[in-house]
Amino acid sequence: MKKVTINSVASYAGVSKKTVSRVLNNEPNVSAVTREKVLKVFKELDYTPNPIARGLAQNRSFIIGCIYDNPSKSYITRVQTGALAACQENKYNLLIHPCELRGEALIDNIEHLLQSSRLDGIVLTPPFSDFAELVNFLKLKKIPYARVASAVLEDDSISVRCNDEQGAFEITEHLIGLGHKSIAFIKGHPDHSATEQRFKGYRNALASHGIAFNEDLVEEGNFSYHSGANSARSILDSSPRPTAVFASNDYMAAAVLKLATQRQLRVPDDISIAGFDNAPIARHIWPGLTTIDQPVEEMTKQAVTQLINHIAHPQEAPFQVTLESKLITRESTADIK
């Protein structure tokens, strides 16, 4: 059987080769009627574009890289889901690459990745999205990049974020509204900008309701279940014990819930517990965790989509947006007894 080429599609559809190329690359300057006609021919001829030829013709690899360093497997899965959705819609491939932020060879690692994979662009997830040394390296190499969940909105970078500070304010205010005044807080990983943003929201909510901040109620975590368990021991051993705990993510909150239950404490009657992110664990355990729904998949999808658009059509004004978070109340929080 003779191989179907882009020339075959153009001839069969009665359009130019350039028009077929524009449809393939999902470019905007094609009428809806023409686009539909070409897509119909793709289907009729069972045309599959050659990715190597496509890349050579446009001097692109059609690969987006996504780097991460995060102890939460759930978070990374949600990041991948959003990134893959954007890549599939735009006929791109996704390369997931784990790195260590504090590793001595980070920049060398990224440089080798760029050389070996010929990436068209990179998506920076926390904590890389706020790591100045890496951002400056990408700028120097003229590698397009997009930030996910960055605390810094720069004028020269694509950035899609969620308002972590506001979300933490809302969940702390929710606990205060239930009558809690002694609210413990577990911080996240020190390298993540969200850690400070969520801590700030917690403190602002206390201040706005006239509740004095008590640093003895604050524990250091790192977004892992293990760190949540260590923090929980300290919190539950304190006297007087706080009536509520707000952990900076759901995995740490789940660890608090487990230890509280092991100590025969009733949740939420004896102690209320809240998390952040609305990870699957928040709704799979009992009692279900009150939390903040952070649109991780949507943030990543928009960041990758805008990065691909920028690669194809560089724009002077970068895309920057802050998505809304949402308070999800479940059975782990209740009125103070």
Side-chain angles (χ1 to χ4, degrees):
M1 182 180 292
K2 187 177 180 180
K3 184 178 179 181
V4 179
T5 66
I6 191 172
N7 290 324
S8 307
V9 173
S11 176
Y12 197 88
V15 298
S16 68
K17 179 180 174 181
K18 182 65 177 175
T19 297
V20 176
S21 177
R22 285 171 175 163
V23 173
L24 272 174
N25 295 308
N26 201 28
E27 295 183 17
N29 52 341
V30 180
S31 71
V33 173
T34 300
R35 186 182 303 276
E36 185 63 31
K37 181 166 64 172
V38 173
L39 290 174
K40 185 178 179 181
V41 172
F42 284 163
K43 196 169 185 178
E44 290 177 355
L45 299 183
D46 194 22
Y47 171 70
T48 302
N50 184 324
I52 297 176
R54 181 182 174 217
L56 289 172
Q58 300 185 42
N59 194 29
R60 285 192 250 164
S61 66
F62 291 93
I63 303 173
I64 293 294
C66 179
I67 62 173
Y68 69 91
D69 177 9
N70 193 308
S72 172
K73 293 181 179 179
S74 170
Y75 186 88
I76 298 306
T77 298
R78 296 175 70 189
V79 163
Q80 291 181 17
T81 299
L84 279 169
C87 285
Q88 289 171 354
E89 288 179 6
N90 291 277
K91 297 180 176 62
Y92 260 75
N93 292 310
L94 180 68
L95 188 153
I96 301 292
H97 189 72
C99 294
E100 290 186 16
L101 178 68
R102 297 191 177 189
E104 295 180 0
L106 172 63
I107 299 302
D108 290 341
N109 187 342
I110 297 300
E111 187 164 26
H112 176 73
L113 174 67
L114 293 171
Q115 291 173 348
S116 61
S117 305
R118 292 185 62 246
L119 301 177
D120 287 345
I122 288 184
V123 177
L124 305 178
T125 65
F128 298 109
S129 44
D130 288 320
F131 189 48
E133 184 180 354
L134 177 56
V135 169
N136 291 335
F137 170 77
L138 295 176
K139 288 180 179 178
L140 180 66
K141 295 293 184 178
K142 301 187 185 307
I143 304 297
Y145 66 94
R147 303 174 188 247
V148 175
S150 170
V152 180
L153 287 178
E154 293 188 344
D155 292 333
D156 61 348
S157 67
I158 297 167
S159 178
V160 183
R161 65 194 291 265
C162 183
N163 196 329
D164 289 275
E165 182 182 334
Q166 180 60 30
F169 184 98
E170 289 180 9
I171 207 162
T172 306
E173 191 170 58
H174 164 71
L175 292 169
I176 294 170
L178 295 172
H180 299 279
K181 294 184 179 180
S182 179
I183 305 170
F185 183 80
I186 304 177
K187 287 187 172 182
H189 198 290
D191 290 332
H192 289 237
S193 60
T195 294
E196 190 57 36
Q197 296 296 310
R198 294 174 191 181
F199 184 46
K200 187 176 179 181
Y202 160 77
R203 293 195 62 170
N204 287 346
L206 295 178
S208 69
H209 288 273
I211 300 174
F213 169 69
N214 182 355
E215 63 181 15
D216 292 336
L217 293 177
V218 178
E219 293 291 325
E220 299 290 336
N222 69 1
F223 289 137
S224 70
Y225 184 93
H226 179 72
S227 71
N230 288 337
S231 296
R233 292 187 186 96
S234 179
I235 291 170
L236 298 177
D237 284 343
S238 61
S239 182
R241 187 180 63 237
T243 63
V245 180
F246 171 22
S248 289
N249 82 345
D250 294 327
Y251 280 90
M252 295 193 297
V256 179
L257 194 154
K258 179 180 178 179
L259 264 72
T261 302
Q262 287 177 335
R263 296 188 180 201
Q264 308 302 313
L265 294 174
R266 297 169 301 164
V267 179
D269 294 339
D270 297 326
I271 188 168
S272 285
I273 300 171
F276 202 108
D277 286 339
N278 198 27
I281 195 171
R283 54 187 179 274
H284 292 163
I285 60 176
W286 182 260
L289 283 173
T290 291
T291 186
I292 290 291
D293 182 26
Q294 183 181 203
V296 176
E297 293 92 343
E298 185 61 25
M299 281 195 296
T300 314
K301 182 179 180 181
Q302 288 200 27
V304 174
T305 298
Q306 293 302 323
L307 177 59
I308 292 172
N309 289 342
H310 173 75
I311 292 166
H313 311 285
Q315 300 175 355
E316 293 184 6
F319 179 87
Q320 298 179 348
V321 67
T322 300
L323 302 181
E324 292 296 322
S325 58
K326 181 182 179 183
L327 174 65
I328 305 292
T329 57
R330 296 193 177 98
E331 299 83 6
S332 67
T333 56
D335 293 324
I336 191 169
K337 300 299 184 181

